[in-house]
Amino acid sequence: MANRIVVDPITRIEGHLRIEAEIKDGKIVDAFSSSTMVRGIESIVKGRDPRDVWAFVQRTCGVCTTVHALTSVRAVEDALGIAVPPNAEMVRNIMEGALYMHDHAVHFYHLHALDWVDIVNALKADPKKTSEIAQSISSWSKSSPGYFSDIQKRVQKFVESGQLGIFANGYWGHPKMKLPAEVNLLAVAHYLEALEWQKEIVKVHSIFGGKNPHPNYLVGGMACAINSDGAGGLNAERLMHVQKLLKEGKEFIDKVYIPDLLAIASFYKDWGAIGKGVGNYMSYGDFPTNGYADLSSFKFQQGIILDRDLSKVHDVDHRSTDEIEEFVNNSWYDNYAEGKDKGRHPWEGETNIKYTGPKPPYEHLNIEEAYSFIKTPRWKGKPMEVGPLARLLVGYGRGNKEIQDSVNGALSHLNVPVDALFSTLGRTAARGIETQLVANWTLEFFDTLMNNIKNGDERMANTDSWEPSSWPKEAKGVGFCEAPRGALAHWIKIKDEKTENYQMVVPSTWNASPRDSKGQRSAYEEALIGTPVADPNLPLEIIRTIHSFDPCLACAVHLYDEHGKHISQVQNIASCDS
Ligand code: NFE
Ligand code: MG
């Protein structure tokens, strides 16, 4: 008989996620993903001025900050037929690029690494050997034996005090931790360095958008006027500071994140065959270089891969009522008028919360009925995985040489077959590979911006449609982007100058949703099937695969239920919720 275990809350993620997994003969045979919190942002923006919506929806999440604002202004611009000036497009790209660097590096070191790195074991390391390893894989300057010895003393103090602080409650000593002590020490050092580093790269947002998180956006452009010689606005000194931050960000990614990722991955190649998932991958594409209307100019391409077949890439149409639909059959929402088994295109979507789950405290979710506050999106009825791996696979399938070279380089470095991409290891590697690509592109975007300014174009906003009396009586639009966790789109309907309906289908909604009306699992649930669990009381393997998706439940469910106490049957690791 299968044994049902509960991991609640899954920590080192954003938001509140519960996983129930059935284990038989040491392997997961079934799994259920549930978001136990609910937010009402789609409802809050109804009736508001569409030009203000970005500021509300951006608060969906403080982790993938900016992307909901970006997607919202794009949706409104689409509805009203507004094209933004090239400078605004580049500033948007640079801000999004800085987000990728920040978000992915923080995920790697502070959310995911401790699934693979044994902090306590780092105390057994010989700092001299760690130094040799560090110098053999990177030219990063902080690599002397003395440096690693000092780091070891800091960790020793933590351990001796009995207060591990941010390192409390980890699976230290778990039999599936495979790194030599010296590599553990290297990773701990870089965990601490990354904490320092991450506060620098986000200054790019402060310079262009006033602050981080939640920098300012603007329908029609960006809210940062160029003023080359003045003290106010975007002047030469501030632009040079952006360039410095981007170069330093790239250096950390090239010399610390990527070498660490490859070094750690080389000890966990077996994870190239675990966590396969649904096998369908979707990317909306992003980082336009010639206007958002010109999909062919995007750095990340749009497309869909089905059944892991990279030889054919299908197109995505956000406007077609036959493609993207959301189902609520297994979610705590009122059924649509058409019935339990019907989905709705987001322009016709509804958010009517109806909690029918068990009253806390409860042992298990009622999986026969509704079991999550996440809706279930589908493309042509199929479950999709979205995220870094989906982006790279779509680019690979579309013949993008730059992406193919990067992916092939990592595969040959690790000496693993292409099939290893479709896995927990593949997801984690893809995130690092794309961070490096995006760091390079962001410097290109910066050069394009500077050249444009030098050529005399200082436009940052298009205010032609700023006056609502110029708008049609009714309009609808869709905005999309590739958020760090994957394909993100917002659908808006505007009527009488107000927001009539607003629906957001976000990356973690695609990946973390409950089953659809046909009983098909979504990406998290499917990826857990077949995963070996060495000790059901210490389900490290579950969090390895779930963390490989970098969950964000705040985004996925878009008010916290004050009655929603959790039952923690399996104690997880210290939370780094933001
Ligand atoms: Ni809150 Fe988000 C990203 C969006 S959700 S983190 O990236 O959109 O999956
Ligand atoms: Mg939604």
Side-chain angles (χ1 to χ4, degrees):
M1 205 187 128
N3 171 25
R4 171 99 56 97
I5 65 163
V6 177
V7 190
D8 183 2
I10 295 264
T11 54
R12 284 190 277 119
I13 63 164
E14 205 299 318
H16 303 71
L17 173 66
R18 175 183 179 102
I19 296 288
E20 294 192 6
E22 288 185 357
I23 300 181
K24 202 174 171 201
D25 302 329
K27 281 196 172 164
I28 297 178
V29 292
D30 210 348
F32 302 89
S33 159
S34 170
S35 173
T36 53
M37 73 172 185
V38 61
R39 295 155 61 83
I41 291 177
E42 290 168 340
S43 308
I44 290 169
V45 298
K46 276 192 182 180
R48 295 192 185 269
D49 186 323
R51 295 167 300 175
D52 294 343
V53 168
W54 67 265
F56 289 88
V57 297
Q58 180 163 213
R59 271 72 185 168
T60 298
C61 184
V63 170
C64 62
T65 186
T66 86
V67 291
H68 290 288
L70 172 65
T71 306
S72 181
V73 293
R74 283 176 170 171
V76 177
E77 286 157 1
D78 180 58
L80 301 175
I82 302 171
V84 307
N87 289 337
E89 192 113 80
M90 287 306 124
V91 168
R92 290 178 181 183
N93 280 351
I94 295 166
M95 290 172 72
E96 199 181 351
L99 169 69
Y100 266 69
M101 290 189 237
H102 179 267
D103 199 356
H104 283 356
V106 166
H107 175 263
F108 181 72
Y109 286 104
H110 306 129
L111 305 184
H112 201 19
L114 305 187
D115 300 342
W116 314 97
V117 172
D118 188 329
I119 301 277
V120 174
N121 176 267
L123 296 177
K124 296 188 183 142
D126 173 353
K128 194 164 166 293
K129 282 196 190 141
T130 300
S131 167
E132 282 163 19
I133 294 170
Q135 290 175 8
S136 74
I137 61 173
S138 171
S139 59
W140 187 243
S141 57
K142 292 182 178 172
S143 63
S144 68
Y147 176 68
F148 292 113
S149 175
D150 286 349
I151 297 281
Q152 209 175 26
K153 286 184 196 135
R154 280 172 71 183
V155 176
Q156 183 79 43
K157 268 197 196 154
F158 266 134
V159 172
E160 281 169 2
S161 70
Q163 294 182 325
L164 276 167
I166 51 175
F167 300 137
N169 293 333
Y171 291 134
W172 319 137
H174 191 286
K176 295 294 173 189
M177 290 287 195
K178 299 280 189 210
L179 297 183
E182 283 72 24
V183 180
N184 282 321
L185 179 59
L186 179 71
V188 176
H190 293 164
Y191 177 111
L192 298 170
E193 281 180 50
L195 271 180
E196 279 298 307
W197 171 84
Q198 56 90 28
K199 70 181 175 29
E200 293 301 310
I201 189 73
V202 295
K203 289 179 181 168
V204 171
H205 291 178
S206 312
I207 293 170
F208 287 129
K211 65 191 181 70
N212 172 283
H214 308 320
N216 292 319
Y217 275 72
L218 183 73
V219 169
M222 287 305 279
C224 48
I226 295 167
N227 181 1
S228 301
D229 306 316
L234 214 46
N235 58 27
E237 178 263 331
R238 279 175 213 180
L239 285 164
M240 286 307 102
H241 195 57
V242 168
Q243 187 183 39
K244 177 173 175 281
L245 291 166
L246 296 176
K247 283 186 173 167
E248 288 170 356
K250 176 175 153 49
E251 189 183 14
F252 188 83
I253 287 155
D254 288 345
K255 295 188 178 171
V256 184
Y257 180 8
I258 297 296
D260 284 358
L261 171 68
L262 293 172
I264 296 173
S266 68
F267 291 92
Y268 289 107
K269 290 187 197 174
D270 51 332
W271 283 83
I274 301 172
K276 278 189 152 27
V278 294
N280 304 323
Y281 301 89
M282 181 173 73
S283 162
Y284 293 159
D286 208 350
F287 295 111
T289 60
N290 184 37
Y292 178 64
D294 179 4
L295 271 181
S296 70
S297 79
F298 283 28
K299 290 285 199 181
F300 280 134
Q301 287 149 304
Q302 165 263 109
I304 283 176
I305 304 272
L306 295 178
D307 298 326
R308 303 182 185 89
D309 177 4
L310 301 182
S311 70
K312 179 149 182 48
V313 185
H314 306 259
D315 292 336
V316 194
D317 181 352
H318 297 90
R319 295 168 205 276
S320 163
T321 50
D322 297 331
E323 295 198 12
I324 297 171
E325 287 182 301
E326 276 194 309
F327 294 77
V328 289
N329 56 292
N330 271 318
S331 310
W332 291 313
Y333 296 93
D334 256 348
N335 288 322
Y336 303 131
E338 318 73 274
K340 190 174 164 66
D341 297 338
K342 297 279 193 253
R344 281 216 184 168
H345 182 268
W347 267 326
E348 308 304 327
E350 286 176 358
T351 305
N352 297 323
I353 296 159
K354 186 180 175 193
Y355 181 71
T356 58
K359 286 206 167 43
Y362 54 87
E363 194 178 354
H364 290 132
L365 295 162
N366 185 358
I367 52 169
E368 303 304 322
E369 295 177 13
Y371 61 92
S372 181
F373 281 117
I374 301 181
K375 297 176 185 173
T376 305
R378 291 290 182 257
W379 179 80
K380 293 191 179 177
K382 293 178 192 299
M384 291 288 143
E385 175 174 334
V386 299
L389 178 59
R391 286 188 279 264
L392 294 191
L393 292 175
V394 166
Y396 201 104
R398 291 256 190 227
N400 181 318
K401 184 90 177 37
E402 192 180 14
I403 288 179
Q404 287 180 340
D405 287 350
S406 292
V407 171
N408 290 337
L411 290 171
S412 82
H413 184 101
L414 291 171
N415 195 20
V416 291
V418 175
D419 267 10
L421 287 169
F422 309 118
S423 69
T424 298
L425 183 75
R427 262 174 229 113
T428 299
R431 190 170 291 107
I433 294 168
E434 73 165 17
T435 313
Q436 198 167 28
L437 288 167
V438 169
N440 293 333
W441 299 341
T442 307
L443 282 161
E444 288 175 25
F445 304 144
F446 180 82
D447 288 344
T448 304
L449 174 68
M450 293 304 287
N451 283 331
N452 221 28
I453 298 172
K454 279 183 197 145
N455 289 332
D457 181 0
E458 295 200 344
R459 292 171 304 151
M460 193 55 88
N462 169 359
T463 54
D464 291 350
S465 301
W466 188 245
E467 197 39 63
S469 58
S470 70
W471 302 351
K473 187 170 169 41
E474 289 188 48
K476 57 184 184 181
V478 55
F480 60 87
C481 87
E482 279 296 322
R485 285 156 199 76
L488 166 66
H490 293 184
W491 283 259
I492 187 170
K493 277 183 157 178
I494 301 173
K495 190 176 179 189
D496 298 330
E497 303 174 14
K498 298 281 184 254
T499 304
E500 190 194 23
N501 199 17
Y502 203 90
Q503 289 283 312
M504 309 151 68
V505 182
V506 317
S508 296
T509 312
W510 284 97
N511 289 339
S513 37
R515 284 157 168 73
D516 61 28
S517 59
K518 292 187 215 150
Q520 298 179 102
R521 296 183 192 97
S522 298
Y524 288 9
E525 294 181 344
E526 189 63 36
L528 288 170
I529 306 301
T531 297
V533 177
D535 180 351
N537 293 311
L538 300 169
L540 173 63
E541 298 90 339
I542 292 180
I543 59 170
R544 280 182 175 169
T545 290
I546 294 295
H547 280 158
S548 74
F549 289 94
D550 190 2
C552 174
L553 280 292
C555 275
V557 190
H558 358 288
L559 338 160
Y560 185 62
D561 179 352
E562 73 274 25
H563 304 299
K565 274 192 196 163
H566 72 260
I567 313 168
S568 186
Q569 295 191 352
V570 176
Q571 193 64 40
N572 208 308
I573 210 163
S575 174
C576 288
D577 247 8
S578 53

